[in-house]
Amino acid sequence: MTTSKTAIHFFVLWQLPLLLLLSCQSNLAYAAGGKWQLLMSNIGISAMHIQLLNNDRVIMYDRTDFGASNISLPNGKCRNNPNELALKVDCTAHSVEYDVSTNSVRPLMVQTDVWCSSGSVNSDGYLVQTGGFNDGERMVRVVKPCSTCDWQEMGSNLIQSRWYSTNHILPDGRQIIVGGRKAFNYEFYPKTASTNNVFSLPFLQQTNNPREENNLFPFVFLNVDGNLFIFANDRAILLDYRTNTVVKTYPQIPGGDPRNYPSTGSAVLLPLKNLRSQTVQAEVLVCGGAPRGSYPKADKGEFLGALNTCGRITITDPNPQWTMEAMPLARTMGDMVILPNGNVLIINGAASGTAGWQIARNPVLSPVIYRPDNPSDSRFEVQTSNTIPRMYHSTAVLLRDGRVLVGGSNPNELYNFTGVLFPTDLSLEAFSPSYLDQESANLRPRIISPASHLKYRYGERVDILFTASGLLNRDLVKVTMVAPGFNTHSFTMNQRMLVLPRSGVVRQVGRFVYQISCVFPKSGIFAPPGYYLLYVVHQDIPSEAIWVRIQ
């Protein structure tokens, strides 16, 4: 009897790691949520850069120097460019407009190379895109939100070559363009008499690792004091861009591993709340990346494991410190999308290697939801896995209906679809978070008024009528406002969410009809002028948004 008990005891001990692993996997499977939908198997280009416009159409583009794409320009048009590195005469498109309502694409024509460029939507709702490669490195291009509009080349309106730079909309509506390869400075667009110059930013030189860089596409966020939080490599500063003064230096992120391209983590400014408070708190979350040295090692065939950590910091604190959290899945090249309810979706990427051509391995197919308001031990939840690897040059962007549009991955030279480990992918998918499940339909609000596309002034009150067919918990209703961002290289420029302060209680004004009154932000420091998605959220279930314009 004793021998039998001993044998059982040793068997259990030997099996314990496996039992724990199975238990872990079971919990992850139980927690999985969300659904994937293949929208189009071939949009003609690789969605390397992506921006939602206020007509619910999405502008996407790749690059002009990889030969013919899979979609022709309309009406026999061809791009004739003697400076092109691939086809001097190219009758295919390298940009498309995706129509969400019809699930279709329309080819657009770019004249110069837009590869690894940056952009933001201006206060008029136009996508203003800057820089690129080769003959596109100083170019500014604009596309307007209309069903027949195409790209307009504004000319070489940049002073510095901008390749791998970051843009952000400022409180006065201008764009600031920060950094880029061998560009340790910033400039503005459009120019004024006092800003027709480049402004030196030594911080970008200090964060530039030899042979790796790791400071490209820096993470830039407009702080609630009007200064810019800029994170590059493994550290951050607070910049007064008006006087070109560093007003604060933040501590190095613990571990000291790089988070920017090509190690390529991602970052978000967490939702801004309590906008009527004397002091508004702002927090930044930086997740994933690759250990220092990953890029040169991957180039030689050694693929280091990606980082599994997130750093969170309150950038408005007098003595800010990083708090580190462990993600359930290590990830480089992951995209972070703020959802309408304030949670963060972490999607796409790889578990080893780094950004670059075919130098990552082990695609991470499962998205993760991060709930910033939960206790620190219950913020992450693994979601339903995808089947399509979304690695280098993948993109993700929030749509008005609450879905997340996902595309891109590994655009190989000459649009190569064979003979490589991860072929070029031209498909487009949608990830629907669990708040879109049918089981939540009776909790989902529907905005009745105001109408979409109305203009509002800073500080103006708005009365929102909405319906909810189920039992309404009035204490769990909020209104959120999201600035749609420009996404490329795992970072969404200008992405921003605000929780609007209520003006009174939620009132019932009819059968299943309710009114909530809110106040828009008081200045462009909180919400730069332009178009925003406005959602009513009930028990974490968002309505479909309406477009509002703040100015």
Side-chain angles (χ1 to χ4, degrees), residues 90-117:
D90 188 354
C91 301
T92 63
H94 294 278
S95 177
V96 298
E97 176 195 74
Y98 173 71
D99 187 331
V100 176
S101 63
T102 61
N103 191 37
S104 61
V105 295
R106 178 172 69 92
L108 304 175
M109 185 162 74
V110 288
Q111 296 289 347
T112 52
D113 201 347
V114 288
W115 180 32
C116 300
S117 56

Side-chain angles (χ1 to χ4, degrees), residues 286-456:
V286 179
C287 291
R292 194 170 302 283
S294 290
Y295 183 79
K297 287 185 178 179
D299 223 18
K300 296 176 182 176
E302 181 184 352
F303 305 101
L304 300 183
L307 302 178
N308 72 339
T309 54
C310 292
R312 183 167 168 172
I313 189 169
T314 303
I315 64 175
T316 46
D317 271 3
N319 183 31
Q321 300 296 321
W322 290 97
T323 300
M324 302 305 291
E325 302 177 70
M327 296 189 290
L329 301 167
R331 196 181 305 249
T332 180
M333 297 183 289
D335 289 283
M336 294 172 71
V337 179
I338 303 177
L339 299 176
N341 56 14
N343 295 333
V344 179
L345 178 69
I346 308 172
I347 197 167
N348 302 333
S352 58
T354 185
W357 308 113
Q358 300 293 332
I359 55 173
R361 296 292 184 272
N362 305 313
V364 181
L365 300 175
S366 299
V368 168
I369 294 282
Y370 177 84
R371 293 182 168 84
D373 295 334
N374 274 18
S376 58
D377 60 350
S378 62
R379 288 178 179 156
F380 294 97
E381 184 181 279
V382 178
Q383 303 294 288
T384 302
S385 293
N386 192 7
T387 58
I388 301 175
R390 298 287 183 188
M391 299 171 71
Y392 186 42
H393 275 307
S394 299
T395 48
V397 69
L398 177 68
L399 298 177
R400 188 167 61 89
D401 59 15
R403 293 178 299 161
V404 174
L405 191 67
V406 179
S409 190
N410 288 298
N412 294 276
E413 190 167 4
L414 303 180
Y415 291 80
N416 187 6
F417 303 103
T418 59
V420 289
L421 189 58
F422 297 105
T424 303
D425 193 287
L426 305 184
S427 66
L428 199 63
E429 295 179 284
F431 177 74
S432 296
S434 56
Y435 55 57
L436 291 173
D437 289 352
Q438 186 57 36
E439 292 81 358
S440 302
N442 66 327
L443 297 175
R444 185 170 300 119
R446 183 175 66 85
I447 297 175
I448 302 172
S449 70
S452 198
H453 288 84
L454 295 183
K455 296 179 183 179
Y456 297 91

Side-chain angles (χ1 to χ4, degrees), residues 519-531:
V519 178
F520 284 112
K522 60 185 179 183
S523 80
I525 290 175
F526 295 106
Y531 286 86

Side-chain angles (χ1 to χ4, degrees), residues 153-225:
E153 299 261 346
M154 311 304 289
S156 296
N157 287 327
L158 302 178
I159 299 170
Q160 171 77 51
S161 299
R162 298 291 171 189
W163 194 29
Y164 300 95
S165 59
T166 296
N167 294 22
H168 203 295
I169 296 293
L170 299 173
D172 61 6
R174 289 179 300 155
Q175 290 194 48
I176 188 170
I177 307 147
V178 181
R181 179 157 285 170
K182 299 179 182 177
F184 308 121
N185 50 50
Y186 60 92
E187 64 182 289
F188 300 90
Y189 182 83
K191 311 291 186 192
T192 64
S194 62
T195 62
N196 192 20
N197 199 356
V198 294
F199 299 86
S200 177
L201 189 56
F203 170 72
L204 293 175
Q205 199 149 24
Q206 296 158 10
T207 52
N208 183 41
N209 293 143
R211 298 194 310 121
E212 286 187 80
E213 295 175 298
N214 282 327
N215 68 343
L216 301 177
F217 288 114
F219 306 144
V220 179
F221 300 107
L222 178 64
N223 195 8
V224 293
D225 62 1

